[in-house]
Amino acid sequence: MAVDELQAIIQRCQILEEADFKGEDFNLFLVAGQKCLEDGYAAQLLEVIQNEKNKVIIKNMGWNLISPLVRCIFLYEQEDDKKEHCLKILDQLAQLCNPKELFLGLLEQIEQTSGEQVCQTVLLLLQPLQTVLLKLQNKKAYSVGLSLAVIMNQLTPLPVPYTKQQIQEDKFGLCRCCSAVVDFAKPFVNEVVKNTEKLPEYNDMELKGELMKFCMKSLKYPLLTAQLEQLEGIEEHPFRHFAAEIIDILWNIRELMPLVFLHHKGKSSHWENQEFADIEQKNFADSLACLSYLMFVQHFGIDRFPMVFSPSYLLQCNMTHIEVLLKRTEESMLSKGLDLFESCLLRMEDSSLLHQYLELRDFINVPQDLVKVMTLCPMEHMRKKSLNILQLFIDKFDAKGKHTLFRCLLKTSNHAGVEGYIIKNIKDQIHLSLTKECDNIWFTGHHLISLLDLVLSLPEGAETDLLQNSDRIMASLNLLRYLVIKDCESDNQTGVWTILAKVEENFLKPLHVGLNMSKAHYEAEIKNKKENRREAQSSNTICSLTVSGEKMPAMTTEMQLQVLGSALFTFDLIESVLARVEELIEVKIKAAVDEN
């Protein structure tokens, strides 16, 4: 019945001129063709399409069958013969239909699909879409760009497989799609390459621009999110393969090197709406950051990179990208930022980075972002790695650079642990200055005094929270103890004896007062808890604690006593070191008086 209806419409249309086809004819052809597909008469429909007499009809009306055809291909997935006939019909339509009409039909079908069928649809329609695009004469560049944009927009919501198991499973088909999309783009890349030696016409330049947009989108998704380390057991990592192909496209269209050295801040926007301009700039920044990671960490395309740039210049070029990645909270992106930073630093010799680089905004912002990772990132391995990279960054600067960086981090970190770590670094630099033959003016004399003024003080005097600042206070006391032991009053190389009175007034005395107040407070709390312990146990009372608006697990009285006891132990430790420092000062002053 369905085949008879189709034959009747075909016979009716065969006697009409192409210009005489009406909307009704299109609708009748679509309904009859769809019914043939749904009733299992795909073989008969294929015969109609292949019939030379029906060439004009199929050219004008065939594109209407794309939607029902795709549905049936997925429906007949297990029935090989019917599916095979449907695939042949799709191939025939790509060869026979009006390219413009079929292009729109294919693109509409890709755009309308959703969920798990996105990748299946894309994989099915890429080949016919490529065939149609190669046949287009007008607006080819625009059509290629639109196709790639629609495909990437459909793929972007899909989750990127991250673990080895997820990549091997490829649940949504993203890995297969990435490979297929690159193959889809290759003929158009070759077209640009072929015309590179000729005087470029507008369309060729436009096609090059569309391909570059595709590469930039691919760098942001999926490559920025993807895990790109080589995985054991996976012979060809799909995302590493995709990354290599994207780098090859950029190289072939001669855009790789310009992009590597292009700072995203300098890119002008064509948007009048500032919100859209900001979004575009952010996307562009993410893509460039991923490109740098691929080249300098994973070494894709590095064999084409000119080996004429100094390590410090490469670091400078990459600091913008490192800053972009370190501001992200996703593990895959944050780890790329840390890896890129580490890779750039490992190329450099210690003390080779000039202090003038700290006049650049990125060189101040990046260590501050690194501190945030060290202190706020929930992943321990990330925190440890960022600490190691901070030390690498410090080591690469010359003496003045280290001095400047220490001052900056002491003023901006707002974290006692980080401040304690920086103070330990200051102590190490002073030790090098005092033990090496060459005189390092930045960690002796008046330059050092400017640092000591920051270090040997309490942020809020006697009211300072000693428990919160215990790491910083212990590091400061250890530094002061070291200075008193190593630097005689008669030599005073570090200048510590010059500012001793100020240190006692601003640091040691307030610390004594603060310790006495803190110990008295905590001892009273412990006494109070112990007195109320029996009552708390009988009523099974527990204490709740809220941190940053989030309720923490309840604490029993015993747990509270443990916390209070630990705080008292910390105060005792600070007090013992403080007593030792004051004792050393007294001995040194007495020795100097006796000598005189």
Side-chain angles (χ1 to χ4, degrees):
M1 183 69 180
V3 177
D4 294 339
E5 288 179 14
L6 180 65
Q7 289 290 0
I9 292 160
I10 291 293
Q11 288 170 8
R12 174 184 164 183
C13 291
Q14 278 177 344
I15 60 174
L16 296 175
E17 293 294 328
E18 186 175 348
D20 294 333
F21 291 153
K22 298 176 182 176
E24 182 187 356
D25 300 321
F26 283 84
N27 290 333
L28 290 171
F29 177 82
L30 171 60
V31 170
Q34 182 173 329
K35 199 168 181 190
C36 283
L37 288 168
E38 290 171 352
D39 291 352
Y41 298 113
Q44 289 81 348
L45 178 59
L46 178 60
E47 287 179 15
V48 170
I49 291 171
Q50 288 175 327
N51 190 330
E52 188 71 22
K53 294 178 182 178
N54 302 329
K55 194 173 180 180
V56 175
I57 299 170
I58 301 305
K59 176 188 172 185
N60 287 276
M61 302 185 189
W63 66 273
N64 278 306
L65 295 174
I66 290 296
S67 181
L69 186 61
V70 169
R71 280 201 307 274
C72 288
I73 288 172
F74 293 145
L75 185 67
Y76 296 144
E77 196 165 356
Q78 304 305 320
E79 301 177 45
D80 292 343
D81 288 345
K82 291 180 179 178
K83 184 176 181 181
E84 189 65 31
H85 289 136
C86 288
L87 290 172
K88 285 182 179 177
I89 292 172
L90 182 60
D91 182 59
Q92 284 293 306
L93 293 179
Q95 301 298 331
L96 299 173
C97 288
N98 181 308
K100 182 181 175 183
E101 301 292 346
L102 186 58
F103 164 70
L104 294 173
L106 291 168
L107 217 54
E108 183 180 18
Q109 188 62 35
I110 293 173
E111 203 166 18
Q112 286 178 350
T113 192
S114 61
E116 293 185 9
Q117 283 200 331
V118 168
C119 284
Q120 293 178 43
T121 307
V122 169
L123 289 167
L124 176 66
L125 299 183
L126 274 179
Q127 186 58 56
L129 184 59
Q130 184 191 68
T131 302
V132 170
L133 286 168
L134 289 169
K135 291 164 71 175
L136 282 178
Q137 298 301 318
N138 298 322
K139 294 188 176 181
K140 180 193 278 188
Y142 169 79
S143 301
V144 169
L146 182 60
S147 301
L148 290 168
V150 167
I151 292 165
M152 294 307 292
N153 286 343
Q154 285 294 87
L155 296 180
T156 300
L158 299 177
V160 178
Y162 194 72
T163 65
K164 177 182 172 181
Q165 184 182 348
Q166 289 171 343
I167 291 170
Q168 288 176 322
E169 185 184 357
D170 193 20
K171 182 179 178 181
F172 292 97
L174 181 62
C175 298
R176 283 169 288 147
C177 265
C178 287
S179 178
V181 172
V182 166
D183 290 337
F184 169 81
K186 280 181 180 177
F188 310 109
V189 176
N190 294 336
E191 190 173 322
V192 171
V193 171
K194 196 189 298 181
N195 290 305
T196 301
E197 300 304 321
K198 302 175 184 177
L199 182 65
E201 299 173 5
Y202 173 75
N203 281 341
D204 292 330
M205 292 303 292
E206 193 179 358
L207 182 57
K208 180 178 177 178
E210 297 296 345
L211 290 170
M212 195 169 111
K213 285 180 194 173
F214 161 66
C215 290
M216 297 304 279
K217 284 182 179 177
S218 300
L219 287 166
K220 181 173 170 61
Y221 174 92
L223 292 177
L224 186 60
T225 308
Q227 197 284 104
L228 293 166
E229 298 295 335
Q230 196 64 265
L231 296 172
E232 189 179 345
I234 298 183
E235 190 173 333
E236 186 173 42
H237 192 309
F239 292 122
R240 287 182 66 84
H241 173 73
F242 185 58
E245 294 283 4
I246 293 298
I247 295 289
D248 281 345
I249 291 174
L250 288 171
W251 173 259
N252 288 329
I253 65 174
R254 300 191 177 186
E255 288 295 334
L256 182 60
M257 289 305 130
L259 282 174
V260 170
F261 293 105
L262 175 66
H263 291 265
H264 72 274
K265 298 292 185 190
K267 184 176 183 285
S268 59
S269 174
H270 59 271
W271 294 103
E272 291 181 10
N273 184 308
Q274 187 58 43
E275 186 179 348
F276 290 159
D278 291 342
I279 292 170
E280 183 185 53
Q281 183 168 294
K282 182 182 180 300
N283 289 339
F284 197 72
D286 287 342
S287 300
L288 289 182
C290 185
L291 177 61
S292 277
Y293 169 81
L294 292 177
M295 287 203 71
F296 295 108
V297 179
Q298 297 297 335
H299 302 135
F300 290 111
I302 199 70
D303 54 322
R304 297 154 175 169
F305 192 78
M307 298 299 175
V308 295
F309 301 106
S310 69
S312 55
Y313 178 71
L314 291 180
L315 176 64
Q316 180 186 342
C317 289
N318 279 310
M319 284 300 263
T320 299
H321 309 314
I322 292 165
E323 183 182 0
V324 166
L325 294 171
L326 291 188
K327 288 189 185 301
R328 304 300 290 263
T329 55
E330 303 92 330
E331 181 182 1
S332 58
M333 300 179 199
L334 189 53
S335 64
K336 287 181 176 63
L338 293 174
D339 288 343
L340 180 57
F341 199 8
E342 183 180 46
S343 174
C344 291
L345 292 172
L346 289 174
R347 297 168 188 267
M348 307 180 67
E349 294 181 7
D350 286 354
S351 305
S352 64
L353 193 58
L354 301 177
H355 62 271
Q356 285 91 341
Y357 280 99
L358 286 169
E359 295 172 10
L360 303 174
R361 182 187 59 80
D362 294 334
F363 278 79
I364 293 296
N365 288 351
V366 166
Q368 291 178 6
D369 290 333
L370 203 57
V371 165
K372 289 176 184 174
V373 178
M374 286 163 50
T375 56
L376 300 175
C377 181
M379 293 163 281
E380 184 183 3
H381 68 283
M382 291 286 198
R383 295 198 301 273
K384 287 181 176 178
K385 183 164 186 172
S386 59
L387 177 62
N388 293 335
I389 292 172
L390 178 63
Q391 187 60 59
L392 259 181
F393 189 56
I394 291 168
D395 292 342
K396 301 309 172 188
F397 274 101
D398 59 19
K400 186 177 180 181
K402 289 184 177 77
H403 185 280
T404 306
L405 187 59
F406 292 155
R407 284 184 64 86
C408 171
L409 291 174
L410 283 171
K411 288 181 176 180
T412 60
S413 68
N414 297 316
H415 189 279
V418 176
E419 290 164 2
Y421 186 79
I422 297 302
I423 292 167
K424 180 185 174 298
N425 264 276
I426 293 171
K427 176 174 164 287
D428 293 341
Q429 292 302 315
I430 295 169
H431 180 71
L432 286 174
S433 301
L434 294 177
T435 54
K436 286 170 71 175
E437 289 183 10
C438 57
D439 184 26
N440 184 348
I441 62 169
W442 290 99
F443 291 94
T444 55
H446 70 277
H447 288 302
L448 178 58
I449 287 173
S450 68
L451 274 181
L452 295 180
D453 284 340
L454 284 174
V455 171
L456 302 177
S457 63
L458 289 177
E460 296 167 39
E463 303 294 322
T464 301
D465 186 333
L466 301 187
L467 200 58
Q468 182 97 18
N469 289 277
S470 59
D471 287 341
R472 176 197 167 111
I473 292 167
M474 286 297 292
S476 299
L477 286 171
N478 282 326
L479 172 59
L480 183 55
R481 178 173 60 178
Y482 172 84
L483 294 173
V484 172
I485 292 171
K486 282 287 183 182
D487 195 13
C488 297
E489 189 176 0
S490 55
D491 294 336
N492 198 21
Q493 287 177 269
T494 61
V496 68
W497 298 100
T498 306
I499 61 167
L500 189 58
K502 189 199 290 186
V503 170
E504 288 178 336
E505 189 65 32
N506 295 339
F507 184 51
L508 302 181
K509 286 181 182 178
L511 185 54
H512 265 298
V513 174
L515 280 169
N516 291 336
M517 290 194 301
S518 297
K519 287 179 74 174
H521 172 72
Y522 277 78
E523 284 167 353
E525 278 291 311
I526 289 174
K527 184 180 178 183
N528 184 45
K529 294 293 176 189
K530 285 180 177 178
E531 287 174 355
N532 294 330
R533 183 189 294 177
R534 185 173 303 169
E535 182 187 340
Q537 286 176 342
S538 64
S539 61
N540 202 24
T541 304
I542 55 175
C543 168
S544 65
L545 181 67
T546 302
V547 177
S548 300
E550 190 172 327
K551 197 169 184 180
M552 305 302 286
M555 292 178 70
T556 64
T557 304
E558 286 300 325
M559 291 166 69
Q560 294 173 56
L561 285 169
Q562 281 183 351
V563 171
L564 294 168
S566 177
L568 271 182
F569 176 78
T570 301
F571 298 144
D572 288 339
L573 192 61
I574 293 172
E575 194 169 42
S576 67
V577 179
L578 175 58
R580 178 61 179 149
V581 168
E582 290 179 327
E583 181 187 338
L584 286 167
I585 291 171
E586 188 179 336
V587 169
K588 283 276 188 160
I589 291 174
K590 187 174 184 301
V593 170
D594 291 346
E595 189 179 332
N596 289 335

